[in-house]
Amino acid sequence: MAMGLRPYTERTGNGLGLPAFDANQGEVLMHIMPAVGIVFDNRPPEFPGTLYISSRQVVWLSDVDMAKGYAVDFLSMSLHAVSTDPEAYSSPCLYVQIDTGDDEESHNSESECHGEESENLDLAAVKEMRLVPSNPNELETLFEIFCQCAELNPEPTGDDEEEHNWYFSADQLEAMPGLSVSGDDEEQFTATPLNSIGHMNGDHDQLAHTVLQLQINDQRFEDAEEMEPESNGKHS
């Protein structure tokens, strides 16, 4: 997944157009907020634009330049907060820190204070973004939506990246005591997790040993049941 801010120019529909979200992958539009300015690092604001918030990303599209737009995934946002301190920024805004995946100093540091156009801006190096609604009363709503979407995009962990082997071929199943497949059953066994046996991570020999041990234990229980009447008879 690409980290950080990126240009976004794809629009669908008539008029100003809408972002083309990936509905096939479950991405849904959560909120639209018109008349929002956007500020990168310490550069001049860009305005007016419309903010589109989906379940995966935030997209800002310019209302005056159809070829201008920006997007950032929620997974690339390390922090968001409401800012109303005029010493931090002149207008109330939603302050967002962006994870660029690069710990080095931003390449925009030399040009960010000179009022250069965004065409000269290295978007991938932007680490701070401010969203400035024309109506400051909308900030609380904007903040709550960001919180909801952040919960839908938890940070991946190392455990999520490990794939466990829960599937076995017909040959492997036939090699296990008490298990066999034939005909159409092969597809059923190879496509269904064997949760009832236990969690496996490719150790098929261990699984076979476990099944065999269960069979031995079952036999011991049967022998014990057969011996009970005899024992009871001796004490009577």
Side-chain angles (χ1 to χ4, degrees), residues 71-101:
V72 60
D73 294 330
F74 278 100
L75 286 175
S76 292
M77 302 181 197
S78 57
L79 179 148
H80 66 272
V82 172
S83 174
T84 57
D85 185 357
E87 294 186 0
Y89 191 72
S90 57
S91 301
C93 62
L94 186 74
Y95 172 78
V96 180
Q97 284 187 356
I98 300 174
D99 182 5
T100 64

Side-chain angles (χ1 to χ4, degrees), residues 5-79:
L5 190 71
R6 64 186 186 276
Y8 192 101
T9 58
E10 185 176 0
R11 304 189 188 207
T12 61
N14 300 322
L16 294 176
L18 297 172
F21 294 131
D22 193 353
N24 292 331
Q25 296 297 322
E27 186 177 13
V28 296
L29 179 64
M30 304 290 287
H31 192 75
I32 300 176
M33 184 172 291
V36 176
I38 192 168
V39 183
F40 301 132
D41 293 332
N42 295 323
R43 300 173 67 87
E46 298 184 37
F47 187 88
T50 302
L51 194 66
Y52 300 88
I53 306 173
S54 82
S55 54
R56 294 185 179 180
Q57 61 183 320
V58 174
V59 176
W60 183 91
L61 297 180
S62 172
D63 292 344
V64 295
D65 186 349
M66 297 291 290
K68 179 179 290 187
Y70 310 103
V72 60
D73 294 330
F74 278 100
L75 286 175
S76 292
M77 302 181 197
S78 57
L79 179 148

